């Protein structure tokens, strides 16, 4: 099992939690982005820079993940593809995307996109707060306890 991070938009605080977890449990952590990333020196942490372009990082992750891998992303279409391949998807707020909730989330995402396209100001997500970071760390720990090799 490996952990993949859709790293272009992943908050720094979440990356730090993931770095510590990778070291603590000895799991491979791969950050995928279209820009250079700084990572701590580690045998478990690797940064993969992909070319710039629409969904290039997402497509790279989907091509490389294996069944059972965990992907950290707030990108709902990417999460849907991960689930389709038998992977697990966790967003930076500590919420797992599942077969049971992904279609509803995709529909809401598409609806909000249509509203924005029509000129409606919908606002973005709220700033990641301490409670979100704690929820993420707790869900990650539970996942690693269940699925660690």
């Amino acid at each position: 099992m490996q952990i993949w991070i859709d790293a272009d938009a992943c908050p720094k605080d979440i990356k730090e939690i993931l770095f510590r977890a990778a070291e603590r449990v000895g799991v491979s952590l791969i950050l995928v982005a279209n820009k250079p990333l700084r990572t701590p020196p580690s045998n478990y942490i690797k940064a993969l820079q992909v070319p710039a372009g629409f969904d290039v990082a997402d497509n790279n992750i989907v091509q490389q993940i294996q069944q059972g891998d965990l992907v950290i992303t707030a990108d709902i279409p990417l999460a849907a593809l991960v689930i389709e391949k038998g992977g697990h998807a966790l967003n930076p707020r500590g919420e797992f995307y599942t077969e049971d909730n992904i279609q509803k989330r995709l529909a809401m995402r598409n609806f909000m996109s249509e509203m924005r396209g029509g000129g409606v100001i919908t606002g973005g997500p709220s700033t990641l707060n301490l409670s979100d970071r704690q929820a993420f760390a707790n869900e990650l720990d539970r996942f690693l306890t269940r699925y660690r090799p």
Side-chain angles (χ1 to χ4, degrees):
M1 193 261 308
Q2 298 184 98
I3 300 174
W4 297 83
I5 304 174
D6 181 10
D8 285 322
C10 186
K12 181 182 177 198
D13 291 344
I14 299 302
K15 289 178 194 164
E16 294 294 329
I17 292 167
L18 288 158
F19 294 156
R20 288 191 301 272
E23 287 294 320
R24 186 178 74 246
V25 301
V27 66
S28 177
L29 179 68
I30 303 108
L31 293 88
V32 182
N34 60 21
K35 61 187 175 211
L37 295 169
R38 287 187 167 185
T39 60
S42 170
N43 291 328
Y44 302 107
I45 302 167
K46 177 173 103 174
L48 178 62
Q49 185 176 350
V50 298
F54 185 71
D55 286 343
V56 174
D58 296 356
N59 293 337
N60 185 282
I61 291 169
V62 171
Q63 289 171 1
Q64 294 194 66
I65 64 167
Q66 302 293 314
Q67 186 171 352
D69 283 356
L70 174 63
V71 177
I72 309 303
T73 186
D75 185 313
I76 297 168
L78 172 57
L81 293 170
V82 168
I83 292 166
E84 192 175 294
K85 281 195 75 174
H88 306 275
L90 176 63
N91 74 28
R93 295 182 186 277
E95 301 163 333
F96 271 97
Y97 300 104
T98 66
E99 288 181 358
D100 294 334
N101 70 21
I102 196 66
Q103 292 307 318
K104 181 179 178 183
R105 288 177 184 246
L106 276 170
M108 180 57 74
R109 175 199 171 274
N110 293 339
F111 172 72
M112 296 303 284
S113 180
E114 286 177 22
M115 289 192 54
R116 285 188 297 275
V120 176
I121 299 171
T122 59
S126 60
T127 304
L128 202 69
N129 61 38
L130 178 60
S131 176
D132 296 325
R133 292 190 301 271
Q134 289 174 332
F136 177 84
N138 290 340
E139 286 300 322
L140 179 64
D141 283 344
R142 278 192 279 278
F143 177 86
L144 292 173
T145 299
R146 281 193 310 257
Y147 294 101
R148 186 170 35 160

